[in-house]
Amino acid sequence: MQSSRENKEWMTYLLIAANVIVFLLCTLAGGSEDTGVLLRMGAVTGELVSGGQWWRMFAAMFLHIGFLHLLSNMFSLFVIGSYMEKHFGHVRFLILYLCGGFLGYLFVWICDILTEDSSLTAGASGAIFALLGGLAAAVLFRREYVRDVSAPQTILVVLLMLFSGYSDGNISFTGHLGGLIGGFIMMLFILHTMRHKRSGNASGM
């Protein structure tokens, strides 16, 4: 049995703290809604990423445009992140969050290039949708890891959150969709490694 200390979702709290700290730094630098500040701190635009600044697709996960943007994303991260970290562990959770979020911004970049869109994108929602995509993959393919969540519940939450982003013109729907797909794919790899590890540990004497 794991100790209560091992079960603490400290990685989720650490990510929330990092987002809050970056938000405060942006505020001190001139405001979290200032385009110049956001670009200096790592917001994504198709042109800058195409110019080789790939680091922005990680940095942008920790940037938020205004307090309400930060508040809504951190609440979602607290709820979904705590659940995923508790069920899959600190390292797998972080890999899913960062890699899924990166794939979300990769999707944004591709769409920006194809549509010649030069708009600025920032926020943790792509990474949060990656967690949702990971949860959906686990519910569909490895139900034993998430018995307390049903497939209809998961699908309903995903659809509601996607619709919420689609109906708001100030939110990057492509980032949400890219994160969701990226998280789904990443979780398939994670589940494969978990199954392989379990099979290795189950060998008899």
Side-chain angles (χ1 to χ4, degrees):
M1 180 181 293
Q2 290 183 313
S3 68
S4 58
R5 184 177 180 182
E6 290 174 327
N7 285 328
K8 288 290 185 182
E9 294 79 44
W10 56 267
M11 188 64 75
T12 298
Y13 305 144
L14 186 62
L15 286 172
I16 292 173
N19 277 275
V20 171
I21 290 170
V22 171
F23 179 82
L24 292 175
L25 290 175
C26 288
T27 301
L28 292 173
S32 65
E33 298 183 56
D34 183 277
T35 301
V37 171
L38 290 167
L39 286 174
R40 288 197 301 274
M41 295 295 285
V44 165
T45 68
E47 181 180 0
L48 290 174
V49 174
S50 296
Q53 298 183 31
W54 294 89
W55 60 271
R56 290 180 176 274
M57 294 198 284
F58 285 109
M61 293 183 218
F62 298 91
L63 289 172
H64 289 87
I65 307 171
F67 179 71
L68 290 180
H69 188 206
L70 173 74
L71 184 64
S72 62
N73 274 349
M74 292 307 96
F75 176 76
S76 298
L77 176 56
F78 173 74
V79 174
I80 303 168
S82 297
Y83 180 88
M84 294 299 286
E85 184 176 1
K86 178 180 178 181
H87 284 73
F88 295 97
H90 313 304
V91 176
R92 295 187 188 99
F93 160 74
L94 185 62
I95 290 172
L96 179 64
Y97 184 87
L98 293 178
C99 293
F102 178 86
L103 290 172
Y105 274 112
L106 182 64
F107 193 66
V108 168
W109 171 67
I110 292 172
C111 289
D112 284 353
I113 296 301
L114 292 177
T115 60
E116 298 183 350
D117 187 356
S118 60
S119 60
L120 175 152
T121 307
S125 53
I128 294 168
F129 266 88
L131 297 179
L132 274 178
L135 177 59
V139 168
L140 292 174
F141 296 105
R142 295 301 297 274
R143 192 75 180 84
E144 65 270 24
Y145 289 122
V146 286
R147 294 187 185 277
D148 51 344
V149 176
S150 69
Q153 285 176 322
T154 304
I155 292 171
L156 179 61
V157 171
V158 169
L159 291 177
L160 286 174
M161 290 187 68
L162 277 176
F163 178 76
S164 175
Y166 181 77
S167 60
D168 189 336
N170 295 318
I171 294 178
S172 174
F173 177 74
T174 55
H176 290 184
L177 186 60
L180 184 71
I181 296 171
F184 190 94
I185 294 171
M186 283 301 305
M187 180 54 84
L188 293 181
F189 284 103
I190 290 172
L191 292 174
H192 177 73
T193 61
M194 291 175 72
R195 179 167 54 189
H196 179 74
K197 184 178 179 180
R198 174 175 289 187
S199 297
N201 291 338
S203 58
M205 292 178 65

